Amino acid sequence: GKKNTNPRTTRSSENQSSGAAMDPLAVLRDYAARGDLDKIIFNGDDVLFGDDYTFPANAPTAFTSKQSGRPYPLSAAVFLAQHNDLKHTDFLQAARLRRIPPVSLPDRKTFLDFLHFGDSSLPSAEPLLPSSFAQDAHPPPPPPPPENEEGEGPDADDASTAHVRALERPLKDRNAVLDARGRDFLAIYHAALRREEDRLRNKDAAPSATGRHEPSAAAAASLANPKLDKSLGDGFVPIILVPSASQTLITIYNVRDFLEDFVFVPSDEKMRAMKGSPKPECVTLQKKHVRGAGGPVAFEVRDKPASLKADDWARVVAVFVLGKEWQFKDWPFKGHVDIFNKVIGFFVRFEDDSVDSAKVVKQWNVKIISISKNKRHQDRPAALEVWDRLDEFVRARS
């Protein structure tokens, strides 16, 4: 029979047709068998199986808890499949950090056997887990009434319409349409404040002979020798700079995941999830759950130093370095010594990378942060080390 998808489930248009709804667990099992688990990504409230399928992350599945009898959501099954190499205690911690319901130890073995991890056959005589959507609260739609002998006429049209409506499910209501999760309005607010301050500052300034405003003496001095404002933390938002190059581990795409949620997500994965949306100019993140947290709690992250004004440079407190000299071209500092006396530097690398990858930055006054390519439970201590070093640096300069 041909395939069809649940109304919340999508598939490439060439494969859409009528039939039974695709079982997300069957799709997950297929991806596991092909070794394509890394192509499954979380995107907001959905789980994307490459370009093939999209399912709701909280959709209940036939994978149930032995203790409570409740079904696990699809997000729990996917997260277990992708992180089955972790020790169970590390797995539980990683799941809670991502706000995903953790799978218990007894259920873990059952499900991994189902996915053929370490098992060449099904663990029991149980059939393939049924579609998660069969457990949905909506009753199955009734079969359409038989048509008249000719298959035409008002009765046939009404029966077809009733059958279509029985298959419908609402995707959004008035509350969901107004949902703005994932949108960063704080950054827009700060940008509007800066524009208004610039407008008021330049309102009475006399134009030069060329008709353009020349920078004031105070602005020029600030650019030549940036200082951290004493009012840091009192309406003063510090700036963290990240490289715009894609070959670096921390970019404007994944910096919030790393510093706010303490989980490293590859930039290319975040870019695919954005589905062609423009790169953000500025990201605002909050410092939370940090040991002995003090000072500012809100930070701006940018990746275009050329767009910074003199007052902006006075707010720059940290930079994630790429290890290339050209990253600091046109910076208002005299050299690396001057830069890393006034701005704390971090270089994030994979722990098993070649020593040569850090050869240049070892000559600079920067902190090297090592993370694992696969052990995501090690991301939290690495991110906390960044915050601890940054807090210490900010307090020393305030």
Side-chain angles (χ1 to χ4, degrees), residues 3 20 48 63 78 83 129 143 152 224 254 256 280-281 314 326 335 338 356 359 379 389:
K3 297 179 181 178
L48 279 59
F63 174 33
V78 171
H83 299 83
L129 296 181
E152 299 176 351
N254 65 357
R256 179 182 287 136
E281 296 287 334
W326 53 260
D338 190 27
D356 293 338
K359 183 182 297 184
D379 296 341
R389 297 274 182 168

Side-chain angles (χ1 to χ4, degrees), residues 122-175:
L122 284 172
S124 69
E126 296 176 0
L128 181 68
L129 296 181
S131 169
S132 65
F133 298 103
Q135 300 185 18
D136 202 19
H138 299 278
E147 300 178 354
N148 55 28
E149 293 181 359
E150 291 80 10
E152 299 176 351
D155 292 342
D157 291 340
D158 292 344
S160 299
T161 302
H163 181 60
V164 171
R165 290 190 179 278
L167 293 172
E168 290 181 347
R169 291 184 184 177
L171 295 180
K172 287 187 177 182
D173 56 19
R174 59 186 178 85
N175 294 321

